[in-house]
Coordinates of all heavy atoms in Angstrom, one line a residue:
D85 N 0.8 -1.2 0.0 CA 0.0 0.0 0.0 C 0.9 1.2 -0.1 O 1.7 1.4 0.9 CB -1.0 0.0 1.2 CG -1.8 1.1 1.4 OD1 -2.5 1.5 0.5 OD2 -1.7 1.7 2.4
A86 N 0.7 2.1 -1.0 CA 1.6 3.4 -1.1 C 1.5 4.2 0.0 O 2.5 4.8 0.5 CB 1.1 4.0 -2.5
L87 N 0.2 4.5 0.6 CA 0.1 5.3 1.7 C 0.9 4.9 2.9 O 1.6 5.7 3.5 CB -1.5 5.4 2.1 CG -1.7 6.4 3.2 CD1 -1.2 7.8 2.9 CD2 -3.2 6.5 3.5
T88 N 0.8 3.5 3.2 CA 1.6 3.1 4.3 C 3.1 3.2 4.0 O 3.9 3.6 4.9 CB 1.3 1.6 4.5 OG1 -0.1 1.5 4.8 CG2 2.1 1.0 5.6
H89 N 3.6 3.0 2.8 CA 4.9 3.0 2.4 C 5.5 4.4 2.7 O 6.5 4.7 3.4 CB 5.1 2.8 0.9 CG 6.4 3.1 0.4 ND1 7.6 2.3 0.7 CD2 6.9 4.1 -0.4 CE1 8.6 2.8 0.0 NE2 8.2 3.9 -0.6
F90 N 4.7 5.5 2.4 CA 5.1 6.9 2.5 C 5.1 7.3 4.0 O 5.8 8.1 4.5 CB 4.4 7.9 1.6 CG 5.1 7.8 0.2 CD1 4.3 7.1 -0.8 CD2 6.2 8.2 -0.1 CE1 4.7 6.9 -2.1 CE2 6.7 8.1 -1.5 CZ 5.9 7.5 -2.4
K91 N 4.1 6.8 4.7 CA 4.0 7.1 6.2 C 5.1 6.5 7.0 O 5.7 7.2 7.8 CB 2.6 6.6 6.7 CG 1.4 7.4 6.4 CD 0.1 6.9 7.1 CE -1.0 7.9 6.8 NZ -2.2 7.4 7.6
V92 N 5.4 5.3 6.6 CA 6.6 4.6 7.3 C 7.9 5.4 6.9 O 8.8 5.6 7.8 CB 6.8 3.1 6.8 CG1 8.0 2.5 7.3 CG2 5.5 2.4 7.5
M93 N 8.0 5.8 5.7 CA 9.2 6.6 5.2 C 9.2 7.9 6.1 O 10.4 8.2 6.6 CB 9.1 6.9 3.7 CG 10.3 7.7 3.2 SD 10.1 8.3 1.6 CE 9.8 6.8 0.6
L94 N 8.2 8.6 6.2 CA 8.2 9.8 6.9 C 8.7 9.6 8.4 O 9.4 10.3 8.9 CB 6.8 10.5 6.9 CG 6.6 11.9 7.5 CD1 7.6 12.9 6.8 CD2 5.2 12.3 7.5
S95 N 8.2 8.5 9.0 CA 8.5 8.2 10.3 C 10.0 7.8 10.6 O 10.4 7.9 11.7 CB 7.5 7.1 10.9 OG 7.9 5.8 10.3
R96 N 10.6 7.5 9.6 CA 12.1 7.0 9.7 C 12.9 8.3 9.8 O 14.1 8.2 10.3 CB 12.6 6.3 8.5 CG 12.1 4.8 8.4 CD 12.9 4.0 7.4 NE 13.0 4.5 6.0 CZ 12.1 4.1 5.1 NH1 11.3 3.2 5.3 NH2 12.2 4.6 3.8
Y97 N 12.4 9.5 9.5 CA 13.2 10.7 9.6 C 12.7 11.5 10.7 O 11.6 11.5 11.1 CB 13.1 11.4 8.3 CG 13.8 10.7 7.1 CD1 12.9 9.9 6.3 CD2 15.1 10.7 6.8 CE1 13.6 9.2 5.3 CE2 15.7 10.1 5.8 CZ 14.9 9.3 5.1 OH 15.5 8.6 3.9
S98 N 13.6 12.3 11.4 CA 13.3 13.2 12.4 C 13.2 14.5 11.7 O 13.7 14.9 10.7 CB 14.4 13.3 13.4 OG 14.6 12.1 14.0
V99 N 12.4 15.5 12.4 CA 12.3 16.8 11.9 C 13.7 17.4 11.8 O 14.5 17.4 12.6 CB 11.4 17.7 12.8 CG1 11.4 19.1 12.4 CG2 9.9 17.1 12.8
G100 N 13.9 18.0 10.5 CA 15.2 18.6 10.3 C 16.2 17.7 9.4 O 17.1 18.2 9.0
D101 N 15.8 16.5 9.4 CA 16.6 15.5 8.6 C 16.4 15.7 7.1 O 15.4 16.0 6.6 CB 16.2 14.0 8.9 CG 16.7 13.5 10.2 OD1 17.5 14.3 10.9 OD2 16.3 12.4 10.6
T102 N 17.5 15.5 6.3 CA 17.5 15.4 4.9 C 17.3 13.9 4.5 O 17.8 13.1 5.1 CB 18.8 15.8 4.3 OG1 19.0 17.2 4.6 CG2 18.9 15.7 2.8
V103 N 16.3 13.7 3.6 CA 16.2 12.3 3.1 C 17.4 11.9 2.4 O 17.8 12.4 1.3 CB 14.9 12.4 2.1 CG1 14.8 11.0 1.5 CG2 13.7 12.7 2.8
N104 N 18.1 11.0 3.0 CA 19.5 10.6 2.4 C 19.5 9.2 1.9 O 20.5 8.8 1.4 CB 20.5 10.8 3.6 CG 20.2 10.0 4.8 OD1 19.2 9.2 4.8 ND2 20.9 10.2 5.9
D105 N 18.4 8.4 2.0 CA 18.4 7.2 1.3 C 18.0 7.3 -0.1 O 17.0 7.9 -0.5 CB 17.4 6.3 2.1 CG 17.2 4.9 1.5 OD1 16.7 4.7 0.4 OD2 17.8 3.9 2.2
P106 N 18.8 6.9 -1.0 CA 18.6 7.1 -2.5 C 17.3 6.5 -2.9 O 16.7 7.0 -3.7 CB 19.7 6.3 -3.1 CG 20.9 6.2 -2.1 CD 20.1 6.2 -0.8
S107 N 16.9 5.3 -2.3 CA 15.6 4.7 -2.7 C 14.4 5.6 -2.2 O 13.4 5.8 -3.0 CB 15.5 3.3 -2.0 OG 14.2 2.8 -2.4
D108 N 14.5 6.2 -1.0 CA 13.5 7.2 -0.6 C 13.4 8.4 -1.4 O 12.3 8.9 -1.8 CB 13.7 7.6 0.9 CG 13.5 6.4 1.9 OD1 12.9 5.4 1.6 OD2 13.9 6.6 3.1
H109 N 14.5 8.9 -1.7 CA 14.6 10.1 -2.7 C 13.9 9.8 -3.9 O 13.1 10.5 -4.5 CB 16.0 10.6 -2.9 CG 16.1 11.8 -3.8 ND1 16.1 13.0 -3.3 CD2 16.1 11.9 -5.2 CE1 16.2 13.9 -4.3 NE2 16.2 13.2 -5.4
A110 N 14.3 8.6 -4.5 CA 13.7 8.2 -5.8 C 12.2 8.0 -5.7 O 11.4 8.5 -6.7 CB 14.4 6.9 -6.3
D111 N 11.7 7.5 -4.6 CA 10.2 7.3 -4.5 C 9.5 8.6 -4.4 O 8.5 8.9 -5.0 CB 9.9 6.3 -3.3 CG 10.2 4.9 -3.5 OD1 10.6 4.5 -4.7 OD2 10.2 4.1 -2.5
L112 N 10.0 9.5 -3.6 CA 9.5 10.8 -3.5 C 9.5 11.7 -4.7 O 8.5 12.3 -5.1 CB 10.2 11.6 -2.4 CG 9.9 11.2 -0.9 CD1 10.9 11.9 0.1 CD2 8.5 11.5 -0.5
A113 N 10.6 11.6 -5.5 CA 10.8 12.2 -6.8 C 9.8 11.7 -7.7 O 9.2 12.5 -8.6 CB 12.3 12.0 -7.3
A114 N 9.6 10.4 -7.8 CA 8.6 9.8 -8.7 C 7.1 10.2 -8.4 O 6.4 10.6 -9.2 CB 8.7 8.3 -8.6
L115 N 6.8 10.3 -7.1 CA 5.5 10.7 -6.7 C 5.3 12.2 -7.0 O 4.3 12.6 -7.5 CB 5.2 10.4 -5.1 CG 3.9 10.8 -4.6 CD1 2.7 10.0 -5.3 CD2 3.9 10.6 -3.1
L116 N 6.3 13.0 -6.8 CA 6.3 14.4 -7.0 C 6.1 14.6 -8.5 O 5.3 15.5 -8.9 CB 7.5 15.1 -6.6 CG 7.6 16.6 -6.8 CD1 6.6 17.3 -5.8 CD2 9.0 17.1 -6.4
S117 N 6.7 13.8 -9.4 CA 6.6 14.0 -10.9 C 5.2 13.7 -11.3 O 4.7 14.4 -12.1 CB 7.6 13.0 -11.5 OG 7.4 13.0 -12.8
V118 N 4.6 12.7 -10.7 CA 3.2 12.4 -11.1 C 2.2 13.5 -10.7 O 1.4 14.0 -11.4 CB 2.7 11.0 -10.4 CG1 1.3 10.9 -10.6 CG2 3.5 9.9 -11.0
Y119 N 2.4 13.9 -9.4 CA 1.7 15.1 -8.9 C 1.8 16.3 -9.7 O 0.8 16.9 -10.1 CB 2.1 15.4 -7.4 CG 1.4 16.5 -6.8 CD1 0.1 16.4 -6.2 CD2 2.0 17.8 -6.7 CE1 -0.6 17.3 -5.6 CE2 1.3 18.9 -6.1 CZ 0.1 18.6 -5.6 OH -0.7 19.7 -5.0
D120 N 3.0 16.7 -10.1 CA 3.3 17.9 -10.9 C 2.7 17.8 -12.3 O 2.3 18.7 -13.0 CB 4.7 18.3 -11.0 CG 5.2 19.1 -9.8 OD1 4.4 19.4 -8.9 OD2 6.4 19.2 -9.6
S121 N 2.7 16.5 -12.8 CA 2.3 16.3 -14.2 C 0.7 16.5 -14.3 O 0.3 16.7 -15.6 CB 2.6 14.9 -14.7 OG 1.7 13.9 -14.0
V122 N 0.0 16.5 -13.4 CA -1.5 16.7 -13.5 C -2.0 18.1 -13.1 O -3.2 18.4 -13.3 CB -2.3 15.6 -12.7 CG1 -2.0 14.2 -13.2 CG2 -2.0 15.8 -11.2
L123 N -1.0 18.9 -12.8 CA -1.5 20.3 -12.5 C -1.8 21.1 -13.8 O -1.4 20.8 -14.8 CB -0.2 21.1 -11.9 CG 0.2 20.6 -10.5 CD1 1.5 21.3 -10.0 CD2 -1.0 20.8 -9.4
A124 N -2.7 22.0 -13.6 CA -3.1 22.8 -14.7 C -2.1 23.6 -15.4 O -1.0 24.0 -14.7 CB -4.3 23.8 -14.3
L125 N -2.1 23.7 -16.7 CA -1.0 24.4 -17.4 C -0.8 25.8 -16.9 O -1.8 26.6 -16.6 CB -1.5 24.6 -18.9 CG -0.4 25.1 -19.8 CD1 0.9 24.4 -19.8 CD2 -1.0 25.3 -21.2
G126 N 0.4 26.2 -16.5 CA 0.7 27.5 -16.0 C 0.6 27.5 -14.4 O 1.1 28.5 -13.8
E127 N 0.1 26.5 -13.7 CA 0.1 26.4 -12.4 C 1.5 26.0 -11.9 O 2.2 25.2 -12.5 CB -0.9 25.4 -11.9 CG -1.2 25.4 -10.4 CD -2.3 24.5 -10.0 OE1 -3.0 23.9 -10.9 OE2 -2.4 24.1 -8.8
P128 N 2.0 26.8 -10.8 CA 3.3 26.4 -10.4 C 3.5 25.0 -9.9 O 2.6 24.5 -9.2 CB 3.6 27.4 -9.2 CG 2.3 28.0 -8.9 CD 1.4 27.8 -10.0
T129 N 4.6 24.3 -10.2 CA 4.8 23.0 -9.7 C 5.5 23.0 -8.4 O 6.2 23.9 -8.1 CB 5.6 22.2 -10.8 OG1 6.9 22.8 -10.9 CG2 4.9 22.2 -12.2
K130 N 5.5 21.9 -7.8 CA 6.2 21.7 -6.5 C 7.7 21.5 -6.9 O 8.6 22.1 -6.0 CB 5.8 20.4 -5.8 CG 4.4 20.5 -5.2 CD 4.3 21.4 -4.0 CE 2.9 21.3 -3.4 NZ 2.7 22.0 -2.2
A131 N 8.1 20.9 -8.0 CA 9.4 20.8 -8.3 C 10.2 22.1 -8.7 O 11.3 22.3 -8.6 CB 9.6 19.7 -9.4
G132 N 9.3 23.0 -9.2 CA 9.9 24.3 -9.6 C 11.0 24.1 -10.6 O 10.9 23.4 -11.7
C133 N 12.2 24.8 -10.4 CA 13.3 24.7 -11.2 C 14.1 23.4 -11.1 O 15.1 23.2 -11.9 CB 14.3 25.9 -10.9 SG 14.9 25.9 -9.2
G134 N 13.7 22.5 -10.3 CA 14.4 21.3 -10.1 C 14.5 20.9 -8.7 O 14.7 21.7 -7.8
V135 N 14.4 19.6 -8.4 CA 14.7 19.1 -7.0 C 16.1 18.8 -6.6 O 16.8 18.1 -7.3 CB 13.9 17.8 -6.8 CG1 14.0 17.2 -5.4 CG2 12.3 18.0 -7.1
D136 N 16.5 19.4 -5.5 CA 17.9 19.2 -5.0 C 17.8 18.0 -4.1 O 18.6 17.1 -4.1 CB 18.5 20.5 -4.3 CG 19.9 20.2 -3.9 OD1 20.7 20.0 -4.7 OD2 20.1 20.1 -2.6
H137 N 16.9 18.2 -3.1 CA 16.7 17.1 -2.1 C 15.3 17.4 -1.4 O 14.7 18.3 -1.6 CB 17.8 17.1 -1.1 CG 18.0 18.3 -0.2 ND1 18.7 19.4 -0.6 CD2 17.5 18.6 1.1 CE1 18.6 20.3 0.3 NE2 17.9 19.8 1.3
F138 N 14.9 16.3 -0.5 CA 13.8 16.4 0.3 C 14.2 16.5 1.8 O 15.3 15.9 2.2 CB 12.9 15.1 0.1 CG 12.4 15.1 -1.3 CD1 13.1 14.3 -2.3 CD2 11.2 15.7 -1.6 CE1 12.6 14.2 -3.5 CE2 10.7 15.6 -3.0 CZ 11.5 14.9 -3.9
E139 N 13.4 17.2 2.6 CA 13.7 17.2 4.0 C 12.4 17.0 4.8 O 11.3 17.2 4.3 CB 14.2 18.6 4.5 CG 15.6 19.0 3.8 CD 16.1 20.3 4.2 OE1 15.3 21.1 4.9 OE2 17.2 20.7 3.8
K140 N 12.5 16.6 6.0 CA 11.3 16.5 7.0 C 11.4 17.7 7.8 O 12.4 18.0 8.5 CB 11.3 15.3 7.8 CG 10.1 15.1 8.7 CD 10.1 13.8 9.5 CE 8.9 13.7 10.4 NZ 8.9 12.4 11.2
R141 N 10.3 18.5 7.8 CA 10.2 19.7 8.5 C 8.8 19.9 9.1 O 7.8 19.2 8.7 CB 10.4 21.0 7.6 CG 11.6 21.0 7.0 CD 11.8 22.4 6.2 NE 12.9 22.5 5.3 CZ 13.0 23.4 4.4 NH1 12.1 24.3 4.2 NH2 14.1 23.5 3.6
W142 N 8.7 20.8 10.1 CA 7.4 21.1 10.7 C 6.7 22.0 9.6 O 7.3 23.0 9.1 CB 7.5 22.0 12.0 CG 7.9 21.2 13.1 CD1 9.1 21.3 13.8 CD2 7.3 20.1 13.8 NE1 9.2 20.3 14.8 CE2 8.0 19.6 14.8 CE3 6.0 19.5 13.5 CZ2 7.7 18.5 15.7 CZ3 5.6 18.4 14.4 CH2 6.4 17.9 15.4
D143 N 5.5 21.7 9.3 CA 4.6 22.5 8.4 C 3.7 23.4 9.4 O 2.7 23.0 9.7 CB 3.8 21.6 7.6 CG 3.1 22.4 6.4 OD1 3.2 23.6 6.4 OD2 2.2 21.7 5.8
K144 N 4.3 24.6 9.6 CA 3.5 25.5 10.5 C 2.4 26.2 9.9 O 1.7 26.9 10.6 CB 4.5 26.4 11.2 CG 5.6 25.7 12.0 CD 6.6 26.6 12.5 CE 7.6 25.7 13.4 NZ 8.8 26.6 13.9
D145 N 2.3 26.1 8.5 CA 1.3 26.9 7.8 C -0.1 26.2 7.9 O -1.1 26.7 7.5 CB 1.6 27.1 6.4 CG 2.9 28.0 6.2 OD1 3.0 28.9 7.2 OD2 3.6 27.9 5.2
H146 N -0.1 25.0 8.3 CA -1.4 24.2 8.4 C -1.8 23.9 9.8 O -0.9 23.6 10.6 CB -1.2 22.9 7.5 CG -1.1 23.3 6.1 ND1 0.1 23.4 5.5 CD2 -2.0 23.5 5.1 CE1 0.1 23.7 4.3 NE2 -1.2 23.8 3.9
P147 N -3.0 23.7 10.1 CA -3.5 23.4 11.5 C -2.7 22.1 12.0 O -2.6 21.2 11.3 CB -4.9 23.1 11.4 CG -5.3 23.9 10.2 CD -4.2 23.8 9.2
G148 N -2.5 22.2 13.2 CA -1.8 21.0 13.9 C -0.3 21.0 13.9 O 0.3 20.2 14.6
H149 N 0.2 21.9 13.1 CA 1.7 21.9 13.0 C 2.3 20.5 12.9 O 3.1 20.0 13.7 CB 2.3 22.6 14.3 CG 1.8 24.1 14.5 ND1 2.1 25.1 13.6 CD2 0.9 24.5 15.4 CE1 1.5 26.2 14.0 NE2 0.7 25.8 15.1
T150 N 2.0 20.0 11.8 CA 2.4 18.5 11.5 C 3.8 18.6 10.8 O 4.1 19.6 10.2 CB 1.4 17.8 10.7 OG1 1.2 18.6 9.4 CG2 0.1 17.7 11.4
A151 N 4.4 17.5 10.8 CA 5.7 17.3 10.1 C 5.4 16.7 8.8 O 4.4 15.8 8.6 CB 6.6 16.5 10.9
C152 N 6.0 17.1 7.8 CA 5.8 16.5 6.4 C 7.2 16.7 5.6 O 8.1 17.3 6.1 CB 4.7 17.2 5.6 SG 4.9 19.0 5.3
F153 N 7.2 16.2 4.4 CA 8.4 16.4 3.5 C 8.3 17.7 2.9 O 7.2 18.2 2.6 CB 8.4 15.3 2.5 CG 8.8 13.9 3.0 CD1 7.9 12.9 3.0 CD2 10.1 13.7 3.6 CE1 8.2 11.6 3.4 CE2 10.4 12.5 4.0 CZ 9.5 11.5 3.9
F154 N 9.4 18.4 2.6 CA 9.6 19.6 1.9 C 10.4 19.3 0.7 O 11.5 18.5 0.8 CB 10.2 20.7 2.8 CG 9.2 21.5 3.6 CD1 8.5 20.8 4.6 CD2 8.9 22.8 3.3 CE1 7.7 21.6 5.4 CE2 8.1 23.5 4.0 CZ 7.4 22.9 5.1
V155 N 10.1 19.9 -0.4 CA 11.0 19.8 -1.6 C 11.9 21.0 -1.5 O 11.5 22.1 -1.4 CB 10.1 20.0 -2.8 CG1 11.0 19.9 -4.1 CG2 9.0 18.9 -2.9
V156 N 13.2 20.7 -1.6 CA 14.2 21.9 -1.6 C 14.7 21.8 -3.0 O 15.3 20.8 -3.5 CB 15.4 21.5 -0.6 CG1 16.4 22.7 -0.6 CG2 14.8 21.4 0.9
R157 N 14.5 23.0 -3.7 CA 14.8 23.1 -5.1 C 16.2 23.5 -5.3 O 16.9 24.0 -4.4 CB 13.9 24.2 -5.7 CG 12.4 23.7 -5.6 CD 11.5 24.9 -6.0 NE 10.1 24.6 -5.9 CZ 9.3 25.5 -5.4 NH1 9.7 26.6 -4.9 NH2 7.9 25.2 -5.3
T158 N 16.7 23.4 -6.5 CA 18.1 23.7 -6.9 C 18.4 25.1 -6.7 O 19.6 25.5 -6.6 CB 18.3 23.3 -8.3 OG1 17.5 23.8 -9.3 CG2 18.3 21.8 -8.5
D159 N 17.4 26.0 -6.7 CA 17.7 27.4 -6.4 C 17.6 27.8 -5.0 O 17.7 29.0 -4.5 CB 16.7 28.3 -7.2 CG 15.3 28.2 -6.8 OD1 15.0 27.4 -5.9 OD2 14.4 28.9 -7.4
G160 N 17.4 26.8 -4.0 CA 17.5 27.0 -2.6 C 16.0 27.3 -2.0 O 15.9 27.3 -0.8
T161 N 15.0 27.5 -2.9 CA 13.7 27.7 -2.3 C 13.1 26.3 -1.9 O 13.6 25.2 -2.3 CB 12.8 28.3 -3.4 OG1 12.6 27.5 -4.6 CG2 13.2 29.7 -3.8
S162 N 12.1 26.4 -1.1 CA 11.5 25.1 -0.7 C 10.0 25.3 -0.6 O 9.5 26.3 -0.4 CB 12.1 24.6 0.7 OG 11.8 25.5 1.6
I163 N 9.3 24.1 -0.6 CA 7.8 24.1 -0.4 C 7.4 22.8 0.1 O 8.1 21.7 0.0 CB 7.1 24.4 -1.8 CG1 5.7 24.6 -1.5 CG2 7.4 23.2 -2.7 CD1 4.9 25.2 -2.8
D164 N 6.4 22.8 1.0 CA 5.8 21.6 1.6 C 5.3 20.6 0.4 O 4.9 21.0 -0.6 CB 4.7 21.9 2.6 CG 3.5 22.5 2.0 OD1 3.7 23.4 1.2 OD2 2.4 22.1 2.4
F165 N 5.3 19.3 0.8 CA 4.9 18.3 -0.2 C 4.1 17.3 0.5 O 4.7 16.5 1.4 CB 6.2 17.8 -0.8 CG 6.0 16.6 -1.7 CD1 4.9 16.5 -2.7 CD2 6.7 15.4 -1.6 CE1 4.8 15.4 -3.5 CE2 6.6 14.3 -2.4 CZ 5.5 14.3 -3.3
S166 N 2.8 17.3 0.4 CA 1.9 16.3 1.1 C 1.9 15.0 0.2 O 1.4 15.0 -0.9 CB 0.5 16.8 1.2 OG -0.3 15.8 1.6
T167 N 2.5 14.0 0.8 CA 2.4 12.7 0.0 C 1.0 12.2 0.0 O 0.6 11.5 -1.0 CB 3.3 11.6 0.7 OG1 3.0 11.5 2.1 CG2 4.8 12.0 0.6
I168 N 0.2 12.5 0.9 CA -1.2 12.0 0.9 C -1.9 12.7 -0.3 O -2.6 12.1 -1.1 CB -1.9 12.3 2.2 CG1 -1.3 11.4 3.3 CG2 -3.4 12.1 2.1 CD1 -1.8 11.9 4.7
K169 N -1.8 14.0 -0.4 CA -2.4 14.7 -1.6 C -1.9 14.3 -2.9 O -2.6 14.1 -3.8 CB -2.2 16.2 -1.5 CG -3.1 16.9 -0.4 CD -2.8 18.3 -0.3 CE -3.6 19.0 0.8 NZ -3.4 20.4 1.0
A170 N -0.6 14.0 -3.0 CA 0.1 13.5 -4.1 C -0.5 12.1 -4.5 O -0.7 11.8 -5.7 CB 1.6 13.5 -4.0
L171 N -0.6 11.3 -3.5 CA -1.2 9.9 -3.8 C -2.6 10.1 -4.3 O -3.1 9.3 -5.1 CB -1.1 9.1 -2.6 CG 0.3 8.6 -2.2 CD1 0.3 8.0 -0.9 CD2 0.9 7.6 -3.3
D172 N -3.4 11.0 -3.7 CA -4.8 11.1 -4.2 C -4.8 11.6 -5.7 O -5.6 11.0 -6.4 CB -5.5 12.2 -3.3 CG -5.9 11.7 -2.1 OD1 -5.9 10.5 -1.7 OD2 -6.2 12.7 -1.1
V173 N -3.9 12.5 -6.0 CA -3.8 12.9 -7.5 C -3.4 11.7 -8.4 O -4.0 11.5 -9.3 CB -2.8 14.0 -7.6 CG1 -2.4 14.3 -9.0 CG2 -3.4 15.2 -7.0
A174 N -2.4 10.9 -7.9 CA -1.8 9.9 -8.7 C -2.9 8.8 -8.9 O -2.9 8.1 -9.8 CB -0.7 9.2 -7.9
T175 N -3.8 8.6 -7.9 CA -4.8 7.6 -8.0 C -6.2 8.1 -8.5 O -7.1 7.3 -8.6 CB -5.1 6.8 -6.6 OG1 -5.5 7.8 -5.7 CG2 -3.7 6.2 -6.2
G176 N -6.2 9.4 -8.8 CA -7.5 10.0 -9.3 C -8.5 10.3 -8.3 O -9.7 10.5 -8.5
K177 N -8.1 10.2 -7.0 CA -9.0 10.6 -5.9 C -9.2 12.1 -5.7 O -10.1 12.5 -5.1 CB -8.6 9.9 -4.6 CG -8.7 8.4 -4.6 CD -8.3 7.9 -3.3 CE -8.3 6.4 -3.3 NZ -7.8 5.8 -2.1
A178 N -8.3 12.8 -6.1 CA -8.3 14.4 -6.0 C -9.3 14.9 -7.0 O -9.5 14.5 -8.0 CB -7.0 14.9 -6.2
S179 N -10.0 15.9 -6.4 CA -11.0 16.6 -7.3 C -10.5 17.8 -8.1 O -9.4 18.3 -7.8 CB -12.2 17.1 -6.4 OG -11.7 18.0 -5.5

C-alpha cells in the first residue's frame, strides 16, 4: 500500500533531517513527478526549477503543526509536499 509506504518513510526521519536514502529520494521524486504532471497548465509545480533534495520539517502553515516532507529546489527555495495529496492525485481521488 503506497500510503503506508510513505507514512513509514516519513516516520524514519526526524524533523530537520534530509532524506538521504537514495531509494526514498527516488520514490518521493517519482511521486512528485506524477503530482506535478496533472497540475493545470501555468500552475506552479512543486518541483519548480528542479529538486535538489527532500527534508522532513514542521509544516507550521497548516493546523496541527504537523511534520511533512519539503521539496528543496536547486535554487534554494522550498515548499511543503503532502504525500497524501500527491497519492490522491496519482490515484485519481483528488477533485
Side-chain angles (χ1 to χ4, degrees):
D85 175 58
L87 182 57
T88 300
H89 172 73
F90 286 104
K91 283 184 176 185
V92 168
M93 182 190 300
L94 185 65
S95 72
R96 284 198 304 264
Y97 295 93
S98 297
V99 172
D101 284 351
T102 296
V103 174
N104 54 12
D105 181 286
S107 178
D108 290 347
H109 179 93
D111 288 350
L112 287 168
L115 182 59
L116 183 66
S117 178
V118 170
Y119 179 78
D120 280 352
S121 73
V122 300
L123 294 175
L125 186 61
E127 189 173 345
T129 64
K130 294 283 186 174
C133 61
V135 175
D136 183 68
H137 64 275
F138 297 92
E139 296 177 357
K140 182 177 178 178
R141 298 182 189 170
W142 288 115
D143 185 6
K144 297 176 182 172
D145 293 335
H146 297 91
H149 303 290
T150 59
C152 65
F153 288 115
F154 273 68
V155 180
V156 180
R157 300 175 182 130
T158 55
D159 66 358
T161 62
S162 61
I163 191 167
D164 63 316
F165 172 47
S166 169
T167 54
I168 294 170
K169 288 181 185 176
L171 286 168
D172 285 348
V173 166
T175 60
K177 292 182 183 176
S179 53

